[in-house]
Coordinates of all heavy atoms in Angstrom, one line a residue:
M23 N 18.0 10.3 -0.6 CA 17.5 10.1 0.8 C 17.0 8.6 0.9 O 16.2 8.2 0.1 CB 16.4 11.1 1.1 CG 16.0 11.0 2.5 SD 15.0 12.5 3.0 CE 13.5 12.2 2.2
E24 N 17.4 8.0 1.9 CA 17.0 6.6 2.1 C 15.8 6.5 3.0 O 15.7 7.2 4.0 CB 18.2 5.8 2.8 CG 18.0 4.3 2.8 CD 19.2 3.6 3.4 OE1 20.3 4.0 3.0 OE2 19.0 2.7 4.2
D25 N 14.9 5.6 2.7 CA 13.7 5.4 3.4 C 13.9 4.5 4.6 O 14.3 3.4 4.4 CB 12.6 4.9 2.5 CG 11.2 4.9 3.2 OD1 11.1 5.5 4.2 OD2 10.3 4.2 2.6
Q26 N 13.7 5.0 5.8 CA 14.0 4.2 7.0 C 12.7 3.5 7.6 O 12.8 3.0 8.7 CB 14.6 5.1 8.1 CG 16.0 5.6 7.7 CD 17.0 4.5 7.5 OE1 17.0 3.5 8.3 NE2 17.9 4.6 6.6
T27 N 11.6 3.5 6.9 CA 10.4 2.9 7.3 C 10.5 1.4 7.4 O 11.0 0.8 6.5 CB 9.2 3.3 6.4 OG1 9.2 4.7 6.3 CG2 7.9 2.8 6.9
K28 N 10.1 0.9 8.5 CA 10.1 -0.6 8.7 C 8.8 -1.2 8.3 O 7.7 -0.7 8.9 CB 10.5 -1.0 10.1 CG 10.6 -2.4 10.3 CD 11.0 -2.8 11.7 CE 11.1 -4.3 11.8 NZ 11.3 -4.8 13.1
I29 N 8.7 -2.1 7.4 CA 7.5 -2.8 7.0 C 7.6 -4.3 7.3 O 8.5 -4.9 6.9 CB 7.3 -2.6 5.5 CG1 7.2 -1.1 5.1 CG2 6.1 -3.3 5.0 CD1 7.1 -0.8 3.6
S30 N 6.6 -4.7 8.0 CA 6.5 -6.2 8.3 C 5.3 -6.7 7.6 O 4.3 -6.1 7.5 CB 6.4 -6.5 9.8 OG 5.4 -5.8 10.4
V31 N 5.4 -7.9 7.1 CA 4.3 -8.5 6.3 C 4.0 -9.9 6.7 O 4.8 -10.6 7.3 CB 4.7 -8.6 4.8 CG1 4.9 -7.2 4.2 CG2 5.9 -9.4 4.5
T32 N 2.7 -10.3 6.6 CA 2.2 -11.6 6.7 C 1.3 -11.9 5.5 O 0.7 -11.0 5.0 CB 1.4 -11.9 8.0 OG1 0.3 -11.0 8.0 CG2 2.3 -11.6 9.2
S33 N 1.3 -13.2 5.1 CA 0.5 -13.5 3.9 C -0.3 -14.7 4.1 O 0.0 -15.6 5.0 CB 1.3 -13.6 2.7 OG 2.2 -14.7 2.8
K34 N -1.4 -14.8 3.4 CA -2.2 -16.1 3.4 C -2.8 -16.3 2.0 O -3.1 -15.4 1.3 CB -3.3 -16.0 4.5 CG -4.6 -15.3 4.1 CD -5.6 -15.4 5.2 CE -6.9 -14.7 4.9 NZ -7.9 -14.7 5.9
Q35 N -2.9 -17.6 1.7 CA -3.4 -18.0 0.4 C -4.9 -18.0 0.5 O -5.5 -18.5 1.4 CB -2.9 -19.4 0.1 CG -3.1 -19.8 -1.4 CD -2.2 -19.0 -2.3 OE1 -1.1 -18.6 -1.9 NE2 -2.6 -18.9 -3.5
L36 N -5.6 -17.4 -0.5 CA -7.0 -17.3 -0.6 C -7.6 -18.4 -1.4 O -6.9 -19.0 -2.3 CB -7.5 -15.9 -1.1 CG -7.0 -14.7 -0.4 CD1 -7.4 -13.4 -1.1 CD2 -7.6 -14.7 1.0
P37 N -8.9 -18.8 -1.2 CA -9.5 -19.9 -2.0 C -9.4 -19.6 -3.5 O -9.4 -20.5 -4.4 CB -10.9 -20.0 -1.5 CG -10.8 -19.4 -0.1 CD -9.8 -18.4 -0.2
S38 N -9.4 -18.3 -3.9 CA -9.4 -17.9 -5.3 C -8.1 -18.1 -6.0 O -7.9 -18.0 -7.2 CB -9.7 -16.4 -5.4 OG -8.7 -15.6 -4.8
G39 N -7.0 -18.5 -5.2 CA -5.7 -18.7 -5.7 C -4.8 -17.5 -5.6 O -3.6 -17.5 -5.8
N40 N -5.4 -16.3 -5.2 CA -4.6 -15.1 -5.0 C -4.0 -15.2 -3.6 O -4.4 -16.0 -2.8 CB -5.5 -13.9 -5.1 CG -6.0 -13.6 -6.5 OD1 -5.3 -14.0 -7.4 ND2 -7.1 -13.0 -6.6
C41 N -3.1 -14.3 -3.4 CA -2.4 -14.2 -2.1 C -2.7 -12.9 -1.4 O -2.4 -11.8 -2.1 CB -0.9 -14.4 -2.3 SG 0.1 -14.5 -0.8
Q42 N -3.2 -12.9 -0.2 CA -3.5 -11.6 0.5 C -2.3 -11.3 1.4 O -1.9 -12.2 2.3 CB -4.7 -11.7 1.3 CG -5.1 -10.5 2.1 CD -6.2 -10.7 3.1 OE1 -6.3 -11.7 3.7 NE2 -7.1 -9.7 3.1
V43 N -1.7 -10.2 1.3 CA -0.6 -9.8 2.1 C -1.1 -8.6 3.1 O -1.5 -7.6 2.6 CB 0.6 -9.3 1.3 CG1 1.7 -8.8 2.2 CG2 1.1 -10.3 0.3
K44 N -0.9 -8.9 4.4 CA -1.2 -7.8 5.3 C 0.1 -7.3 5.8 O 1.0 -8.0 6.1 CB -2.0 -8.4 6.6 CG -2.4 -7.4 7.6 CD -3.2 -8.0 8.7 CE -3.6 -6.9 9.6 NZ -4.5 -7.4 10.7
F45 N 0.2 -5.9 5.8 CA 1.5 -5.3 6.1 C 1.3 -4.2 7.2 O 0.2 -3.6 7.3 CB 2.2 -4.7 4.9 CG 1.4 -3.7 4.1 CD1 1.5 -2.3 4.5 CD2 0.5 -4.0 3.1 CE1 0.7 -1.3 3.8 CE2 -0.2 -3.1 2.4 CZ -0.1 -1.7 2.8
F46 N 2.3 -4.0 8.0 CA 2.3 -3.0 9.0 C 3.5 -2.1 8.7 O 4.6 -2.6 8.5 CB 2.5 -3.7 10.4 CG 1.4 -4.5 10.8 CD1 1.4 -5.9 10.6 CD2 0.3 -4.0 11.4 CE1 0.4 -6.7 10.9 CE2 -0.8 -4.8 11.8 CZ -0.7 -6.2 11.6
I47 N 3.3 -0.8 8.7 CA 4.3 0.2 8.5 C 4.6 0.8 9.9 O 3.7 1.5 10.4 CB 3.9 1.2 7.5 CG1 3.6 0.6 6.2 CG2 5.0 2.3 7.4 CD1 2.9 1.4 5.2
E48 N 5.7 0.5 10.5 CA 6.1 1.0 11.8 C 6.8 2.3 11.7 O 8.0 2.4 11.4 CB 7.0 -0.1 12.5 CG 6.2 -1.4 12.7 CD 7.1 -2.5 13.1 OE1 8.2 -2.2 13.7 OE2 6.8 -3.7 12.9
D49 N 6.0 3.4 11.9 CA 6.6 4.7 11.8 C 6.1 5.4 13.1 O 4.9 5.4 13.4 CB 6.0 5.4 10.5 CG 6.5 6.8 10.3 OD1 7.3 7.3 11.1 OD2 6.1 7.4 9.3
E50 N 7.0 6.0 13.8 CA 6.7 6.7 15.1 C 5.7 7.8 14.9 O 4.8 8.0 15.7 CB 8.0 7.2 15.7 CG 8.9 6.2 16.2 CD 10.1 6.8 16.9 OE1 10.1 8.0 17.1 OE2 11.1 6.0 17.1
Q51 N 5.8 8.5 13.8 CA 4.9 9.7 13.6 C 3.5 9.3 13.0 O 2.5 9.9 13.3 CB 5.5 10.7 12.6 CG 6.8 11.3 13.2 CD 7.6 12.0 12.2 OE1 7.3 11.9 11.0 NE2 8.5 12.8 12.6
R52 N 3.5 8.2 12.1 CA 2.3 7.8 11.5 C 2.3 6.4 11.2 O 2.5 6.0 10.0 CB 2.1 8.6 10.2 CG 0.8 8.5 9.6 CD 0.6 9.4 8.4 NE -0.7 9.2 7.9 CZ -1.1 9.5 6.6 NH1 -0.2 9.9 5.8 NH2 -2.3 9.3 6.2
P53 N 2.0 5.5 12.2 CA 1.9 4.1 11.9 C 0.7 3.8 11.0 O -0.4 4.4 11.1 CB 1.8 3.4 13.3 CG 1.3 4.5 14.2 CD 1.7 5.8 13.6
Q54 N 0.9 2.8 10.1 CA -0.2 2.4 9.2 C -0.2 0.9 9.0 O 0.8 0.2 9.3 CB 0.0 3.1 7.8 CG 0.0 4.6 7.9 CD 0.3 5.2 6.5 OE1 1.3 4.9 5.9 NE2 -0.5 6.2 6.1
Y55 N -1.3 0.4 8.4 CA -1.4 -1.0 8.1 C -2.2 -1.1 6.8 O -2.9 -0.1 6.5 CB -1.9 -1.8 9.2 CG -3.4 -1.6 9.4 CD1 -4.4 -2.5 8.9 CD2 -3.9 -0.6 10.2 CE1 -5.7 -2.3 9.1 CE2 -5.2 -0.4 10.5 CZ -6.1 -1.2 9.9 OH -7.5 -1.0 10.2
G56 N -2.2 -2.2 6.1 CA -3.0 -2.3 4.9 C -2.9 -3.7 4.4 O -2.3 -4.6 5.0
Y57 N -3.5 -3.8 3.2 CA -3.6 -5.1 2.5 C -3.2 -5.0 1.1 O -3.5 -4.0 0.5 CB -5.0 -5.7 2.6 CG -5.5 -5.9 4.0 CD1 -6.1 -5.0 4.7 CD2 -5.2 -7.2 4.6 CE1 -6.6 -5.2 6.0 CE2 -5.6 -7.4 5.9 CZ -6.3 -6.4 6.6 OH -6.7 -6.6 7.9
L58 N -2.5 -6.0 0.5 CA -2.1 -6.0 -0.9 C -2.6 -7.4 -1.4 O -2.3 -8.4 -0.8 CB -0.6 -5.8 -1.0 CG 0.0 -6.0 -2.4 CD1 -0.6 -4.8 -3.3 CD2 1.5 -5.9 -2.3
L59 N -3.2 -7.4 -2.5 CA -3.6 -8.6 -3.2 C -2.7 -8.9 -4.3 O -2.6 -8.0 -5.2 CB -5.1 -8.5 -3.6 CG -5.7 -9.8 -4.2 CD1 -5.8 -10.8 -3.1 CD2 -7.1 -9.5 -4.8
V60 N -2.1 -10.0 -4.3 CA -1.2 -10.4 -5.4 C -1.7 -11.7 -6.1 O -2.3 -12.5 -5.4 CB 0.3 -10.5 -5.0 CG1 0.9 -9.2 -4.6 CG2 0.4 -11.5 -3.9
N61 N -1.3 -11.9 -7.3 CA -1.8 -13.0 -8.1 C -1.2 -14.3 -7.7 O -1.8 -15.4 -7.8 CB -1.7 -12.8 -9.6 CG -2.6 -11.6 -10.1 OD1 -3.6 -11.4 -9.5 ND2 -2.2 -11.0 -11.1
E62 N 0.1 -14.3 -7.3 CA 0.8 -15.5 -6.9 C 1.8 -15.1 -5.8 O 2.1 -14.0 -5.7 CB 1.6 -16.1 -8.1 CG 2.8 -15.3 -8.6 CD 2.5 -14.3 -9.7 OE1 1.4 -14.4 -10.3 OE2 3.4 -13.5 -10.0
P63 N 2.2 -16.1 -5.1 CA 3.2 -15.8 -4.0 C 4.5 -15.2 -4.6 O 4.9 -15.7 -5.6 CB 3.5 -17.2 -3.4 CG 2.3 -18.0 -3.7 CD 1.8 -17.5 -5.1
K64 N 5.0 -14.2 -3.9 CA 6.2 -13.6 -4.3 C 7.2 -13.5 -3.2 O 6.8 -13.6 -2.0 CB 5.9 -12.1 -4.7 CG 5.1 -11.9 -5.9 CD 4.9 -10.5 -6.3 CE 4.1 -10.2 -7.5 NZ 4.0 -8.8 -7.8
P65 N 8.5 -13.3 -3.5 CA 9.5 -13.2 -2.4 C 9.2 -11.9 -1.6 O 8.6 -10.9 -2.1 CB 10.8 -13.0 -3.1 CG 10.6 -13.6 -4.5 CD 9.1 -13.4 -4.8
V66 N 9.6 -11.9 -0.3 CA 9.3 -10.8 0.6 C 9.8 -9.5 0.1 O 9.2 -8.4 0.1 CB 9.8 -11.1 2.0 CG1 9.6 -9.9 2.9 CG2 9.1 -12.3 2.6
G67 N 11.0 -9.5 -0.5 CA 11.7 -8.3 -1.0 C 10.8 -7.7 -2.1 O 10.7 -6.5 -2.2
E68 N 10.3 -8.5 -3.0 CA 9.4 -8.0 -4.1 C 8.1 -7.4 -3.6 O 7.6 -6.4 -4.0 CB 9.1 -9.1 -5.1 CG 10.2 -9.4 -6.0 CD 9.8 -10.5 -7.0 OE1 8.6 -10.5 -7.5 OE2 10.7 -11.3 -7.4
I69 N 7.6 -8.0 -2.5 CA 6.3 -7.5 -1.9 C 6.6 -6.2 -1.3 O 5.8 -5.2 -1.5 CB 5.7 -8.5 -0.9 CG1 5.2 -9.8 -1.7 CG2 4.6 -7.9 -0.1 CD1 4.8 -10.9 -0.8
I70 N 7.6 -6.0 -0.5 CA 7.9 -4.8 0.2 C 8.2 -3.7 -0.9 O 7.7 -2.6 -0.7 CB 9.1 -5.0 1.1 CG1 8.6 -5.8 2.3 CG2 9.6 -3.6 1.6 CD1 9.6 -6.2 3.3
A71 N 8.9 -4.0 -1.9 CA 9.2 -3.0 -3.0 C 7.9 -2.6 -3.6 O 7.7 -1.4 -3.9 CB 10.1 -3.6 -4.0
E72 N 6.9 -3.5 -3.9 CA 5.6 -3.1 -4.5 C 4.8 -2.3 -3.5 O 4.2 -1.3 -4.0 CB 4.9 -4.4 -4.8 CG 3.6 -4.1 -5.6 CD 2.9 -5.3 -6.2 OE1 3.5 -6.4 -6.2 OE2 1.7 -5.2 -6.5
I73 N 4.9 -2.6 -2.2 CA 4.1 -1.7 -1.2 C 4.7 -0.3 -1.3 O 4.0 0.7 -1.3 CB 4.2 -2.4 0.2 CG1 3.4 -3.7 0.2 CG2 3.8 -1.4 1.2 CD1 3.7 -4.5 1.5
K74 N 6.0 -0.2 -1.2 CA 6.7 1.1 -1.3 C 6.3 1.9 -2.5 O 6.1 3.1 -2.5 CB 8.2 1.0 -1.1 CG 8.6 0.6 0.3 CD 10.1 0.5 0.4 CE 10.5 0.2 1.8 NZ 12.0 0.2 2.0
E75 N 6.3 1.2 -3.7 CA 6.0 1.8 -4.9 C 4.5 2.3 -5.0 O 4.3 3.4 -5.4 CB 6.2 0.8 -6.1 CG 5.9 1.4 -7.4 CD 6.0 0.3 -8.5 OE1 7.0 -0.5 -8.4 OE2 5.3 0.4 -9.5
R76 N 3.6 1.5 -4.5 CA 2.2 1.9 -4.4 C 2.0 3.1 -3.5 O 1.2 3.9 -3.7 CB 1.3 0.7 -4.1 CG 1.2 -0.3 -5.3 CD 0.3 -1.4 -4.9 NE 0.3 -2.4 -5.9 CZ -0.8 -2.8 -6.6 NH1 -1.9 -2.2 -6.3 NH2 -0.7 -3.7 -7.5
M77 N 2.7 3.1 -2.4 CA 2.6 4.2 -1.4 C 3.1 5.5 -2.1 O 2.5 6.5 -1.9 CB 3.3 3.9 -0.1 CG 2.6 2.8 0.7 SD 3.5 2.5 2.2 CE 3.6 4.1 3.0
A78 N 4.2 5.4 -2.8 CA 4.8 6.5 -3.5 C 3.8 7.1 -4.6 O 3.6 8.3 -4.7 CB 6.1 6.2 -4.1
Q79 N 3.2 6.1 -5.3 CA 2.2 6.5 -6.3 C 1.0 7.3 -5.6 O 0.5 8.3 -6.1 CB 1.6 5.3 -7.0 CG 2.7 4.7 -8.0 CD 2.2 3.4 -8.6 OE1 1.1 2.9 -8.2 NE2 2.9 2.9 -9.6
R80 N 0.5 6.7 -4.5 CA -0.6 7.3 -3.8 C -0.2 8.7 -3.3 O -1.0 9.7 -3.4 CB -1.0 6.5 -2.6 CG -2.2 7.0 -1.9 CD -2.7 6.0 -0.9 NE -3.5 5.0 -1.6 CZ -4.3 4.1 -1.1 NH1 -4.4 4.1 0.2 NH2 -4.9 3.2 -1.8
R81 N 1.0 8.9 -2.7 CA 1.5 10.2 -2.3 C 1.5 11.2 -3.4 O 1.1 12.4 -3.3 CB 2.9 10.1 -1.6 CG 2.8 9.8 -0.2 CD 4.1 10.0 0.5 NE 5.2 9.1 0.0 CZ 5.5 7.9 0.5 NH1 4.8 7.4 1.5 NH2 6.4 7.2 -0.1
M82 N 2.0 10.8 -4.6 CA 2.1 11.6 -5.7 C 0.7 12.1 -6.2 O 0.5 13.2 -6.5 CB 2.9 11.0 -6.9 CG 4.3 10.7 -6.6 SD 5.3 12.3 -6.6 CE 5.2 12.7 -8.3
A83 N -0.2 11.1 -6.2 CA -1.6 11.4 -6.7 C -2.2 12.4 -5.7 O -3.0 13.3 -6.1 CB -2.4 10.2 -6.8
M84 N -2.0 12.2 -4.4 CA -2.7 13.1 -3.4 C -2.0 14.4 -3.2 O -2.6 15.4 -2.9 CB -2.7 12.4 -2.0 CG -3.5 11.1 -2.0 SD -5.2 11.3 -2.5 CE -5.9 11.9 -1.0
S85 N -0.7 14.5 -3.5 CA 0.0 15.8 -3.3 C -0.4 16.9 -4.3 O -0.5 18.1 -3.9 CB 1.5 15.6 -3.4 OG 1.9 15.3 -4.8
G86 N -0.8 16.5 -5.5 CA -1.2 17.5 -6.5 C -2.7 17.6 -6.5 O -3.3 18.3 -7.4
L87 N -3.4 17.1 -5.6 CA -4.9 17.0 -5.7 C -5.5 18.3 -5.2 O -5.3 18.8 -4.1 CB -5.4 15.9 -4.8 CG -6.9 15.5 -4.9 CD1 -7.2 15.0 -6.3 CD2 -7.2 14.4 -3.9
N88 N -6.3 18.9 -6.1 CA -7.0 20.1 -5.8 C -8.5 19.7 -5.5 O -9.1 19.2 -6.5 CB -6.9 21.1 -6.9 CG -7.7 22.4 -6.6 OD1 -8.4 22.5 -5.6 ND2 -7.6 23.4 -7.5
P89 N -9.0 19.8 -4.3 CA -10.4 19.3 -4.1 C -11.5 20.0 -4.9 O -12.6 19.5 -5.0 CB -10.6 19.6 -2.6 CG -9.6 20.6 -2.2 CD -8.4 20.5 -3.2
F90 N -11.1 21.2 -5.5 CA -12.1 21.9 -6.2 C -12.0 21.7 -7.7 O -12.8 22.2 -8.5 CB -12.0 23.4 -5.9 CG -12.3 23.7 -4.5 CD1 -11.2 24.1 -3.7 CD2 -13.5 23.6 -3.9 CE1 -11.4 24.4 -2.3 CE2 -13.7 23.8 -2.6 CZ -12.7 24.2 -1.8
S91 N -11.1 20.8 -8.1 CA -10.8 20.6 -9.5 C -11.6 19.3 -9.9 O -11.5 18.3 -9.2 CB -9.3 20.4 -9.8 OG -9.2 20.0 -11.2
V92 N -12.2 19.3 -11.1 CA -12.9 18.1 -11.6 C -12.0 17.3 -12.5 O -12.3 16.2 -12.9 CB -14.3 18.5 -12.3 CG1 -15.3 19.0 -11.3 CG2 -14.0 19.4 -13.4
K93 N -10.9 17.9 -12.9 CA -10.0 17.3 -13.9 C -9.1 16.2 -13.2 O -8.8 15.2 -13.7 CB -9.1 18.3 -14.5 CG -9.7 19.1 -15.6 CD -8.7 19.8 -16.4 CE -8.5 21.2 -16.0 NZ -7.5 21.9 -16.8
T94 N -8.7 16.4 -11.9 CA -7.8 15.5 -11.2 C -8.6 14.5 -10.5 O -9.4 14.8 -9.6 CB -7.0 16.3 -10.2 OG1 -6.4 17.4 -10.9 CG2 -5.9 15.4 -9.6
Q95 N -8.4 13.2 -10.9 CA -9.1 12.1 -10.3 C -8.1 11.1 -9.8 O -7.1 10.8 -10.6 CB -10.1 11.4 -11.2 CG -11.3 12.3 -11.5 CD -12.3 11.5 -12.4 OE1 -11.9 10.5 -13.0 NE2 -13.5 12.0 -12.4
V96 N -8.2 10.5 -8.6 CA -7.4 9.5 -8.2 C -8.1 8.2 -8.4 O -9.2 8.0 -8.0 CB -7.1 9.7 -6.6 CG1 -6.2 8.5 -6.1 CG2 -6.5 11.0 -6.4
K97 N -7.4 7.3 -9.2 CA -8.0 6.0 -9.5 C -8.0 5.1 -8.2 O -7.1 5.1 -7.4 CB -7.1 5.3 -10.5 CG -7.4 5.8 -11.9 CD -6.6 4.9 -12.9 CE -7.1 5.1 -14.3 NZ -6.5 4.2 -15.2
D98 N -9.1 4.4 -8.1 CA -9.2 3.4 -7.0 C -8.3 2.2 -7.3 O -8.4 1.7 -8.4 CB -10.6 3.0 -6.8 CG -11.5 4.1 -6.2 OD1 -10.9 5.0 -5.5 OD2 -12.7 4.0 -6.3
D99 N -7.6 1.8 -6.3 CA -6.8 0.6 -6.5 C -7.4 -0.5 -5.6 O -7.2 -0.5 -4.4 CB -5.3 0.9 -6.1 CG -4.4 -0.3 -6.4 OD1 -4.9 -1.3 -6.8 OD2 -3.2 -0.1 -6.2
H100 N -8.1 -1.4 -6.2 CA -8.8 -2.4 -5.4 C -7.9 -3.6 -4.9 O -8.4 -4.5 -4.3 CB -10.0 -3.0 -6.2 CG -11.0 -1.9 -6.6 ND1 -11.8 -1.4 -5.6 CD2 -11.3 -1.3 -7.7 CE1 -12.6 -0.4 -6.2 NE2 -12.3 -0.4 -7.5
N101 N -6.7 -3.5 -5.3 CA -5.7 -4.5 -4.8 C -4.8 -4.0 -3.7 O -3.9 -4.7 -3.3 CB -4.9 -5.0 -6.0 CG -5.7 -5.8 -7.0 OD1 -6.7 -6.5 -6.6 ND2 -5.4 -5.8 -8.2
F102 N -5.0 -2.7 -3.3 CA -4.1 -2.1 -2.3 C -4.9 -1.2 -1.4 O -5.6 -0.3 -1.9 CB -3.0 -1.3 -3.0 CG -2.0 -0.6 -2.1 CD1 -1.1 -1.4 -1.5 CD2 -2.1 0.7 -1.8 CE1 -0.1 -0.8 -0.6 CE2 -1.2 1.3 -0.9 CZ -0.2 0.5 -0.3
Y103 N -5.0 -1.5 -0.1 CA -5.7 -0.7 0.9 C -4.7 -0.3 2.0 O -3.9 -1.1 2.4 CB -6.8 -1.6 1.5 CG -7.9 -1.9 0.4 CD1 -7.8 -3.2 -0.2 CD2 -8.9 -1.1 0.1 CE1 -8.8 -3.5 -1.2 CE2 -9.8 -1.4 -0.8 CZ -9.8 -2.6 -1.5 OH -10.7 -2.9 -2.4
L104 N -4.9 1.0 2.4 CA -4.0 1.5 3.4 C -4.8 2.3 4.4 O -5.7 3.0 4.1 CB -3.0 2.5 2.7 CG -1.9 3.1 3.6 CD1 -1.0 2.1 4.1 CD2 -1.1 4.1 2.7
Y105 N -4.5 2.0 5.7 CA -5.2 2.6 6.8 C -4.2 3.2 7.9 O -3.1 2.7 8.0 CB -6.1 1.5 7.5 CG -7.0 0.8 6.6 CD1 -6.7 -0.5 6.1 CD2 -8.2 1.3 6.2 CE1 -7.5 -1.2 5.3 CE2 -9.1 0.7 5.4 CZ -8.7 -0.6 4.9 OH -9.6 -1.3 4.1
S106 N -4.7 4.2 8.6 CA -3.9 4.7 9.7 C -4.2 3.8 10.9 O -5.3 3.4 11.2 CB -4.3 6.1 10.0 OG -4.0 7.0 9.0
A107 N -3.1 3.5 11.7 CA -3.2 2.7 12.8 C -3.5 3.5 14.1 O -3.3 4.6 14.2 CB -1.9 1.9 13.0

């Protein structure tokens, strides 16, 4: 199944040398936006692939999450933030 989600990105160089990428996910049912912090500038294709990969990882971690279980923990990713628009 092919993912038809449209992702648009903008980036800016930070004083630390890192690159902050702001992205918008244009989905009619659930539009989202977020930020990705990368160590160096990358091609747009690689950035979009990384965003999709991190979103898939987040979905996998949340799908099996039992709120009453102490064994299952979702790691915080301080380089990737995702919000509902």
Side-chain angles (χ1 to χ4, degrees):
M23 184 166 73
E24 190 175 321
D25 188 13
Q26 295 295 326
T27 305
K28 183 176 179 189
I29 299 175
S30 57
V31 297
T32 58
S33 65
K34 82 174 179 183
Q35 195 70 27
L36 301 176
S38 65
N40 292 332
C41 185
Q42 179 190 44
V43 178
K44 183 175 183 178
F45 59 90
F46 296 93
I47 301 169
E48 298 171 24
D49 184 359
E50 290 179 13
Q51 297 169 344
R52 190 174 181 206
Q54 297 174 313
Y55 71 98
Y57 299 91
L58 174 66
L59 185 66
V60 293
N61 294 332
E62 72 265 349
K64 294 182 179 182
V66 175
E68 285 184 31
I69 291 173
I70 291 175
E72 185 170 346
I73 290 169
K74 287 181 178 182
E75 180 182 326
R76 288 180 184 241
M77 288 180 58
Q79 289 173 352
R80 184 172 282 194
R81 273 193 298 269
M82 291 292 288
M84 296 302 279
S85 68
L87 189 63
N88 180 354
F90 299 108
S91 174
V92 292
K93 287 196 259 181
T94 308
Q95 291 183 341
V96 177
K97 282 187 165 184
D98 288 337
D99 186 357
H100 298 289
N101 293 328
F102 183 75
Y103 297 94
L104 184 64
Y105 305 99
S106 294

